[in-house]
Amino acid sequence: MNITRTWRSWAALGSSIAITFAMSACGGTSGNEPNAEPQRTAQSRQDGGTAASGNVLVAYFSASGNTERVAQYIAGATGGDLFHLEPADPYTDEDLDWTDASSRVNAEHEDESLRDIELVSASVDNWDDYDVVFIGYPIWWGIAAWPVNAFVTANDFTGKTVIPFCTSSSSSIGDSGALLADMAGTGDWLGGERFPSGADESAVGDWVAELGL
């Protein structure tokens, strides 16, 4: 795979977002929506889609269903496998209520030690077979929603092209991908892309095509 752009070649966008504005722009944190489509997991490869030069994994955390929908579109466009980053202690609607100063997300935002979110699983079957890994998340307070951290730190991305993507009502992807790349310490990270909460399949497919995988 001849991909030479790393995240370091992409200019870091934006500055830190004010707390209340950023959380309101994170693309839906008011509760979990039912799946829009049946999922295919990393244990069941998808057929069809745009052929990539290697196996593709789409790992994602979704608070309200917006990021999940984009992840499904990417998997469909690439023929990739979906891997849901599911907190062992799931977030409830009340947990995600950023307007409540005593809510879980507010407590985690205020105290970084609470952001070590255990996942049901951070290990992917046949991990070594994947050449391209997309990582999706909503934007929380200007950064990647922290449940993705455990996945990023638990895996070795050496030899893999890693492409972050996020959903948000108005916030940019900022330097969220660069921060995850620093956290990982391995892999060839691209700059990534931000999608609005209501992104449609054609817009996501156009972006995937532009990547030239």
Side-chain angles (χ1 to χ4, degrees):
M1 179 175 299
N2 184 22
I3 296 179
T4 59
R5 293 175 297 169
T6 66
W7 67 266
R8 294 180 180 84
S9 68
W10 294 69
L13 301 175
S15 57
S16 298
I17 308 297
I19 290 176
T20 54
F21 175 78
M23 199 59 184
S24 65
C26 68
T29 56
S30 59
N32 294 318
E33 300 171 358
N35 294 341
E37 305 172 20
Q39 292 188 27
R40 295 181 176 89
T41 68
Q43 288 72 42
S44 175
R45 298 188 184 282
Q46 297 195 67
D47 295 323
T50 302
S53 59
N55 293 328
V56 175
L57 180 73
V58 185
Y60 68 93
F61 165 73
S62 187
S64 64
N66 293 320
T67 306
E68 179 174 64
R69 190 178 307 108
V70 173
Q72 291 170 341
Y73 293 157
I74 293 171
T78 61
D81 299 333
L82 288 165
F83 188 75
H84 181 199
L85 304 179
E86 182 181 0
D89 181 13
Y91 286 88
T92 66
D93 290 356
E94 291 76 16
D95 290 338
L96 294 166
D97 184 4
W98 61 272
T99 64
D100 180 357
S102 63
S103 69
R104 176 179 172 182
V105 288
N106 270 297
E108 291 169 352
H109 172 258
E110 295 298 325
D111 184 351
E112 290 189 22
S113 69
L114 299 177
R115 300 183 195 173
D116 185 12
I117 307 299
E118 180 184 359
L119 300 176
V120 171
S121 177
S123 299
V124 180
D125 289 347
N126 304 314
W127 173 251
D128 291 342
D129 292 344
Y130 293 104
D131 300 311
V132 177
V133 180
F134 290 83
I135 300 179
Y137 47 86
I139 292 291
W140 286 0
W141 281 278
I143 61 175
W146 35 88
V148 303
N149 295 354
F151 175 76
V152 169
T153 57
N155 291 288
D156 182 0
F157 294 89
T158 300
K160 302 182 188 301
T161 297
V162 189
I163 309 171
F165 66 95
C166 71
T167 56
S168 143
S169 294
S170 58
S171 298
S172 73
I173 194 170
D175 58 359
S176 61
L179 292 172
L180 292 177
D182 283 341
M183 192 180 298
T186 56
D188 180 23
W189 288 68
L190 303 190
E193 184 72 7
R194 170 260 178 190
F195 294 97
S197 302
D200 61 30
E201 186 170 6
S202 63
V204 176
D206 288 346
W207 172 66
V208 170
E210 289 172 0
L211 293 172
L213 299 177

mmCIF file of all heavy atoms in Angstrom, residues 139-175:
data_model
loop_
_atom_site.group_PDB
_atom_site.id
_atom_site.type_symbol
_atom_site.label_atom_id
_atom_site.label_comp_id
_atom_site.label_asym_id
_atom_site.label_seq_id
_atom_site.Cartn_x
_atom_site.Cartn_y
_atom_site.Cartn_z
ATOM 1 N N ILE A 139 -17.243 13.795 18.779
ATOM 2 C CA ILE A 139 -16.367 14.769 19.417
ATOM 3 C C ILE A 139 -16.975 15.163 20.764
ATOM 4 O O ILE A 139 -18.127 15.582 20.841
ATOM 5 C CB ILE A 139 -16.197 16.028 18.539
ATOM 6 C CG1 ILE A 139 -15.418 15.686 17.267
ATOM 7 C CG2 ILE A 139 -15.488 17.145 19.313
ATOM 8 C CD1 ILE A 139 -13.956 15.346 17.483
ATOM 9 N N TRP A 140 -16.184 15.008 21.820
ATOM 10 C CA TRP A 140 -16.589 15.430 23.169
ATOM 11 C C TRP A 140 -15.600 16.486 23.641
ATOM 12 O O TRP A 140 -14.404 16.214 23.755
ATOM 13 C CB TRP A 140 -16.598 14.250 24.131
ATOM 14 C CG TRP A 140 -17.744 13.301 23.955
ATOM 15 C CD1 TRP A 140 -18.758 13.373 23.046
ATOM 16 C CD2 TRP A 140 -17.994 12.109 24.732
ATOM 17 N NE1 TRP A 140 -19.624 12.321 23.202
ATOM 18 C CE2 TRP A 140 -19.188 11.530 24.226
ATOM 19 C CE3 TRP A 140 -17.331 11.493 25.796
ATOM 20 C CZ2 TRP A 140 -19.724 10.353 24.754
ATOM 21 C CZ3 TRP A 140 -17.860 10.321 26.312
ATOM 22 C CH2 TRP A 140 -19.055 9.765 25.796
ATOM 23 N N TRP A 141 -16.088 17.677 23.921
ATOM 24 C CA TRP A 141 -15.243 18.764 24.402
ATOM 25 C C TRP A 141 -13.993 18.950 23.521
ATOM 26 O O TRP A 141 -12.884 19.135 24.000
ATOM 27 C CB TRP A 141 -14.831 18.523 25.853
ATOM 28 C CG TRP A 141 -15.907 18.872 26.835
ATOM 29 C CD1 TRP A 141 -16.217 20.122 27.319
ATOM 30 C CD2 TRP A 141 -16.806 17.973 27.490
ATOM 31 N NE1 TRP A 141 -17.254 20.046 28.216
ATOM 32 C CE2 TRP A 141 -17.643 18.737 28.344
ATOM 33 C CE3 TRP A 141 -17.004 16.590 27.428
ATOM 34 C CZ2 TRP A 141 -18.641 18.164 29.123
ATOM 35 C CZ3 TRP A 141 -17.996 16.027 28.192
ATOM 36 C CH2 TRP A 141 -18.799 16.807 29.038
ATOM 37 N N GLY A 142 -14.175 18.882 22.215
ATOM 38 C CA GLY A 142 -13.094 19.173 21.286
ATOM 39 C C GLY A 142 -12.127 18.041 21.037
ATOM 40 O O GLY A 142 -11.181 18.202 20.271
ATOM 41 N N ILE A 143 -12.337 16.865 21.679
ATOM 42 C CA ILE A 143 -11.439 15.726 21.477
ATOM 43 C C ILE A 143 -12.271 14.484 21.164
ATOM 44 O O ILE A 143 -13.503 14.499 21.227
ATOM 45 C CB ILE A 143 -10.552 15.470 22.713
ATOM 46 C CG1 ILE A 143 -11.418 15.136 23.943
ATOM 47 C CG2 ILE A 143 -9.658 16.682 22.987
ATOM 48 C CD1 ILE A 143 -10.599 14.761 25.180
ATOM 49 N N ALA A 144 -11.580 13.394 20.835
ATOM 50 C CA ALA A 144 -12.287 12.141 20.589
ATOM 51 C C ALA A 144 -12.942 11.653 21.872
ATOM 52 O O ALA A 144 -12.344 11.713 22.948
ATOM 53 C CB ALA A 144 -11.309 11.086 20.074
ATOM 54 N N ALA A 145 -14.173 11.180 21.759
ATOM 55 C CA ALA A 145 -14.839 10.593 22.926
ATOM 56 C C ALA A 145 -13.924 9.521 23.519
ATOM 57 O O ALA A 145 -13.458 8.623 22.825
ATOM 58 C CB ALA A 145 -16.181 9.996 22.510
ATOM 59 N N TRP A 146 -13.671 9.618 24.812
ATOM 60 C CA TRP A 146 -12.621 8.816 25.441
ATOM 61 C C TRP A 146 -12.837 7.316 25.473
ATOM 62 O O TRP A 146 -11.854 6.586 25.679
ATOM 63 C CB TRP A 146 -12.311 9.340 26.840
ATOM 64 C CG TRP A 146 -13.473 9.883 27.594
ATOM 65 C CD1 TRP A 146 -14.344 9.216 28.399
ATOM 66 C CD2 TRP A 146 -13.878 11.252 27.630
ATOM 67 N NE1 TRP A 146 -15.277 10.074 28.927
ATOM 68 C CE2 TRP A 146 -15.018 11.333 28.475
ATOM 69 C CE3 TRP A 146 -13.402 12.429 27.033
ATOM 70 C CZ2 TRP A 146 -15.685 12.533 28.737
ATOM 71 C CZ3 TRP A 146 -14.075 13.612 27.282
ATOM 72 C CH2 TRP A 146 -15.185 13.668 28.124
ATOM 73 N N PRO A 147 -14.029 6.761 25.243
ATOM 74 C CA PRO A 147 -14.093 5.302 25.166
ATOM 75 C C PRO A 147 -13.225 4.689 24.064
ATOM 76 O O PRO A 147 -12.909 3.495 24.144
ATOM 77 C CB PRO A 147 -15.583 5.028 24.908
ATOM 78 C CG PRO A 147 -16.266 6.148 25.625
ATOM 79 C CD PRO A 147 -15.391 7.353 25.340
ATOM 80 N N VAL A 148 -12.809 5.484 23.061
ATOM 81 C CA VAL A 148 -11.928 4.922 22.026
ATOM 82 C C VAL A 148 -10.500 4.763 22.525
ATOM 83 O O VAL A 148 -9.715 4.012 21.929
ATOM 84 C CB VAL A 148 -11.926 5.782 20.735
ATOM 85 C CG1 VAL A 148 -13.319 5.928 20.180
ATOM 86 C CG2 VAL A 148 -11.292 7.137 20.958
ATOM 87 N N ASN A 149 -10.152 5.427 23.610
ATOM 88 C CA ASN A 149 -8.763 5.403 24.082
ATOM 89 C C ASN A 149 -8.277 3.991 24.384
ATOM 90 O O ASN A 149 -7.135 3.624 24.079
ATOM 91 C CB ASN A 149 -8.600 6.275 25.326
ATOM 92 C CG ASN A 149 -8.835 7.750 25.056
ATOM 93 O OD1 ASN A 149 -9.027 8.164 23.909
ATOM 94 N ND2 ASN A 149 -8.837 8.554 26.110
ATOM 95 N N ALA A 150 -9.145 3.195 25.014
ATOM 96 C CA ALA A 150 -8.731 1.848 25.403
ATOM 97 C C ALA A 150 -8.400 0.991 24.188
ATOM 98 O O ALA A 150 -7.469 0.177 24.220
ATOM 99 C CB ALA A 150 -9.824 1.182 26.240
ATOM 100 N N PHE A 151 -9.134 1.188 23.103
ATOM 101 C CA PHE A 151 -8.842 0.446 21.872
ATOM 102 C C PHE A 151 -7.512 0.894 21.275
ATOM 103 O O PHE A 151 -6.702 0.071 20.844
ATOM 104 C CB PHE A 151 -9.968 0.661 20.863
ATOM 105 C CG PHE A 151 -9.715 0.045 19.517
ATOM 106 C CD1 PHE A 151 -9.845 -1.315 19.333
ATOM 107 C CD2 PHE A 151 -9.358 0.836 18.431
ATOM 108 C CE1 PHE A 151 -9.611 -1.893 18.089
ATOM 109 C CE2 PHE A 151 -9.122 0.273 17.185
ATOM 110 C CZ PHE A 151 -9.253 -1.098 17.008
ATOM 111 N N VAL A 152 -7.290 2.188 21.259
ATOM 112 C CA VAL A 152 -6.070 2.740 20.666
ATOM 113 C C VAL A 152 -4.832 2.280 21.433
ATOM 114 O O VAL A 152 -3.813 1.918 20.836
ATOM 115 C CB VAL A 152 -6.156 4.276 20.615
ATOM 116 C CG1 VAL A 152 -4.808 4.888 20.268
ATOM 117 C CG2 VAL A 152 -7.206 4.710 19.593
ATOM 118 N N THR A 153 -4.905 2.277 22.756
ATOM 119 C CA THR A 153 -3.738 1.915 23.563
ATOM 120 C C THR A 153 -3.526 0.405 23.657
ATOM 121 O O THR A 153 -2.419 -0.050 23.955
ATOM 122 C CB THR A 153 -3.847 2.491 24.980
ATOM 123 O OG1 THR A 153 -5.060 2.033 25.596
ATOM 124 C CG2 THR A 153 -3.860 4.014 24.947
ATOM 125 N N ALA A 154 -4.564 -0.374 23.370
ATOM 126 C CA ALA A 154 -4.463 -1.832 23.528
ATOM 127 C C ALA A 154 -3.899 -2.528 22.297
ATOM 128 O O ALA A 154 -3.549 -3.717 22.370
ATOM 129 C CB ALA A 154 -5.840 -2.419 23.852
ATOM 130 N N ASN A 155 -3.791 -1.810 21.188
ATOM 131 C CA ASN A 155 -3.402 -2.470 19.937
ATOM 132 C C ASN A 155 -2.148 -1.855 19.324
ATOM 133 O O ASN A 155 -1.879 -0.661 19.478
ATOM 134 C CB ASN A 155 -4.564 -2.392 18.935
ATOM 135 C CG ASN A 155 -5.737 -3.248 19.353
ATOM 136 O OD1 ASN A 155 -5.681 -4.468 19.280
ATOM 137 N ND2 ASN A 155 -6.807 -2.610 19.827
ATOM 138 N N ASP A 156 -1.411 -2.690 18.611
ATOM 139 C CA ASP A 156 -0.207 -2.273 17.908
ATOM 140 C C ASP A 156 -0.570 -2.000 16.452
ATOM 141 O O ASP A 156 -0.957 -2.909 15.718
ATOM 142 C CB ASP A 156 0.851 -3.374 17.992
ATOM 143 C CG ASP A 156 2.163 -3.003 17.320
ATOM 144 O OD1 ASP A 156 2.266 -1.884 16.770
ATOM 145 O OD2 ASP A 156 3.094 -3.836 17.339
ATOM 146 N N PHE A 157 -0.444 -0.744 16.032
ATOM 147 C CA PHE A 157 -0.838 -0.336 14.686
ATOM 148 C C PHE A 157 0.332 -0.345 13.703
ATOM 149 O O PHE A 157 0.202 0.180 12.600
ATOM 150 C CB PHE A 157 -1.470 1.056 14.734
ATOM 151 C CG PHE A 157 -2.770 1.096 15.494
ATOM 152 C CD1 PHE A 157 -2.784 1.339 16.856
ATOM 153 C CD2 PHE A 157 -3.981 0.879 14.846
ATOM 154 C CE1 PHE A 157 -3.976 1.378 17.567
ATOM 155 C CE2 PHE A 157 -5.175 0.907 15.541
ATOM 156 C CZ PHE A 157 -5.182 1.157 16.916
ATOM 157 N N THR A 158 1.443 -0.919 14.092
ATOM 158 C CA THR A 158 2.602 -0.971 13.207
ATOM 159 C C THR A 158 2.229 -1.596 11.863
ATOM 160 O O THR A 158 1.601 -2.657 11.805
ATOM 161 C CB THR A 158 3.732 -1.795 13.854
ATOM 162 O OG1 THR A 158 4.115 -1.187 15.088
ATOM 163 C CG2 THR A 158 4.937 -1.869 12.938
ATOM 164 N N GLY A 159 2.587 -0.909 10.789
ATOM 165 C CA GLY A 159 2.320 -1.407 9.449
ATOM 166 C C GLY A 159 0.911 -1.164 8.950
ATOM 167 O O GLY A 159 0.569 -1.570 7.839
ATOM 168 N N LYS A 160 0.089 -0.483 9.744
ATOM 169 C CA LYS A 160 -1.283 -0.231 9.358
ATOM 170 C C LYS A 160 -1.494 1.254 9.035
ATOM 171 O O LYS A 160 -0.900 2.118 9.675
ATOM 172 C CB LYS A 160 -2.248 -0.650 10.472
ATOM 173 C CG LYS A 160 -2.146 -2.119 10.869
ATOM 174 C CD LYS A 160 -3.163 -2.477 11.934
ATOM 175 C CE LYS A 160 -2.922 -3.883 12.468
ATOM 176 N NZ LYS A 160 -2.980 -4.921 11.427
ATOM 177 N N THR A 161 -2.350 1.523 8.067
ATOM 178 C CA THR A 161 -2.804 2.879 7.810
ATOM 179 C C THR A 161 -4.038 3.105 8.675
ATOM 180 O O THR A 161 -4.992 2.330 8.618
ATOM 181 C CB THR A 161 -3.154 3.076 6.330
ATOM 182 O OG1 THR A 161 -1.971 2.886 5.539
ATOM 183 C CG2 THR A 161 -3.716 4.472 6.082
ATOM 184 N N VAL A 162 -4.014 4.164 9.483
ATOM 185 C CA VAL A 162 -5.098 4.425 10.430
ATOM 186 C C VAL A 162 -5.782 5.733 10.030
ATOM 187 O O VAL A 162 -5.120 6.760 9.844
ATOM 188 C CB VAL A 162 -4.576 4.517 11.877
ATOM 189 C CG1 VAL A 162 -5.748 4.573 12.855
ATOM 190 C CG2 VAL A 162 -3.661 3.338 12.208
ATOM 191 N N ILE A 163 -7.102 5.682 9.914
ATOM 192 C CA ILE A 163 -7.856 6.829 9.431
ATOM 193 C C ILE A 163 -8.951 7.176 10.425
ATOM 194 O O ILE A 163 -9.955 6.457 10.520
ATOM 195 C CB ILE A 163 -8.474 6.542 8.045
ATOM 196 C CG1 ILE A 163 -7.405 6.015 7.083
ATOM 197 C CG2 ILE A 163 -9.143 7.802 7.491
ATOM 198 C CD1 ILE A 163 -7.960 5.513 5.765
ATOM 199 N N PRO A 164 -8.793 8.249 11.183
ATOM 200 C CA PRO A 164 -9.848 8.636 12.117
ATOM 201 C C PRO A 164 -10.996 9.326 11.392
ATOM 202 O O PRO A 164 -10.821 9.951 10.346
ATOM 203 C CB PRO A 164 -9.139 9.606 13.063
ATOM 204 C CG PRO A 164 -8.024 10.177 12.266
ATOM 205 C CD PRO A 164 -7.618 9.125 11.280
ATOM 206 N N PHE A 165 -12.193 9.193 11.950
ATOM 207 C CA PHE A 165 -13.339 9.961 11.476
ATOM 208 C C PHE A 165 -14.232 10.250 12.670
ATOM 209 O O PHE A 165 -14.220 9.522 13.666
ATOM 210 C CB PHE A 165 -14.116 9.213 10.379
ATOM 211 C CG PHE A 165 -14.800 7.959 10.825
ATOM 212 C CD1 PHE A 165 -16.138 7.952 11.218
ATOM 213 C CD2 PHE A 165 -14.118 6.749 10.837
ATOM 214 C CE1 PHE A 165 -16.774 6.786 11.613
ATOM 215 C CE2 PHE A 165 -14.745 5.565 11.233
ATOM 216 C CZ PHE A 165 -16.071 5.590 11.625
ATOM 217 N N CYS A 166 -14.961 11.344 12.589
ATOM 218 C CA CYS A 166 -15.792 11.726 13.724
ATOM 219 C C CYS A 166 -17.119 12.277 13.243
ATOM 220 O O CYS A 166 -17.281 12.611 12.070
ATOM 221 C CB CYS A 166 -15.077 12.750 14.604
ATOM 222 S SG CYS A 166 -14.916 14.390 13.851
ATOM 223 N N THR A 167 -18.070 12.373 14.166
ATOM 224 C CA THR A 167 -19.333 13.042 13.905
ATOM 225 C C THR A 167 -19.512 14.174 14.895
ATOM 226 O O THR A 167 -19.080 14.085 16.050
ATOM 227 C CB THR A 167 -20.525 12.070 14.014
ATOM 228 O OG1 THR A 167 -20.519 11.451 15.307
ATOM 229 C CG2 THR A 167 -20.460 11.010 12.944
ATOM 230 N N SER A 168 -20.109 15.250 14.429
ATOM 231 C CA SER A 168 -20.300 16.430 15.249
ATOM 232 C C SER A 168 -21.282 17.347 14.549
ATOM 233 O O SER A 168 -21.340 17.378 13.317
ATOM 234 C CB SER A 168 -18.948 17.125 15.458
ATOM 235 O OG SER A 168 -19.045 18.506 15.459
ATOM 236 N N SER A 169 -22.054 18.083 15.331
ATOM 237 C CA SER A 169 -22.989 19.036 14.740
ATOM 238 C C SER A 169 -22.268 20.224 14.128
ATOM 239 O O SER A 169 -22.675 20.742 13.092
ATOM 240 C CB SER A 169 -23.981 19.533 15.798
ATOM 241 O OG SER A 169 -24.809 18.487 16.227
ATOM 242 N N SER A 170 -21.181 20.678 14.771
ATOM 243 C CA SER A 170 -20.483 21.857 14.244
ATOM 244 C C SER A 170 -18.983 21.841 14.504
ATOM 245 O O SER A 170 -18.240 22.499 13.786
ATOM 246 C CB SER A 170 -21.080 23.141 14.842
ATOM 247 O OG SER A 170 -21.002 23.122 16.249
ATOM 248 N N SER A 171 -18.526 21.118 15.511
ATOM 249 C CA SER A 171 -17.093 21.102 15.812
ATOM 250 C C SER A 171 -16.316 20.388 14.716
ATOM 251 O O SER A 171 -16.800 19.425 14.122
ATOM 252 C CB SER A 171 -16.837 20.396 17.145
ATOM 253 O OG SER A 171 -17.452 21.071 18.204
ATOM 254 N N SER A 172 -15.092 20.844 14.449
ATOM 255 C CA SER A 172 -14.226 20.186 13.481
ATOM 256 C C SER A 172 -13.574 18.967 14.128
ATOM 257 O O SER A 172 -13.671 18.757 15.338
ATOM 258 C CB SER A 172 -13.145 21.151 13.002
ATOM 259 O OG SER A 172 -12.186 21.362 14.026
ATOM 260 N N ILE A 173 -12.876 18.189 13.323
ATOM 261 C CA ILE A 173 -12.131 17.060 13.863
ATOM 262 C C ILE A 173 -10.951 17.541 14.697
ATOM 263 O O ILE A 173 -10.442 16.835 15.556
ATOM 264 C CB ILE A 173 -11.669 16.108 12.737
ATOM 265 C CG1 ILE A 173 -11.207 14.765 13.326
ATOM 266 C CG2 ILE A 173 -10.597 16.750 11.875
ATOM 267 C CD1 ILE A 173 -10.974 13.692 12.271
ATOM 268 N N GLY A 174 -10.529 18.789 14.438
ATOM 269 C CA GLY A 174 -9.462 19.385 15.225
ATOM 270 C C GLY A 174 -8.214 18.519 15.244
ATOM 271 O O GLY A 174 -7.847 17.896 14.256
ATOM 272 N N ASP A 175 -7.580 18.452 16.400
ATOM 273 C CA ASP A 175 -6.391 17.618 16.519
ATOM 274 C C ASP A 175 -6.712 16.306 17.232
ATOM 275 O O ASP A 175 -5.827 15.642 17.752
ATOM 276 C CB ASP A 175 -5.265 18.364 17.233
ATOM 277 C CG ASP A 175 -5.665 18.841 18.629
ATOM 278 O OD1 ASP A 175 -6.819 18.606 19.049
ATOM 279 O OD2 ASP A 175 -4.810 19.445 19.309
#
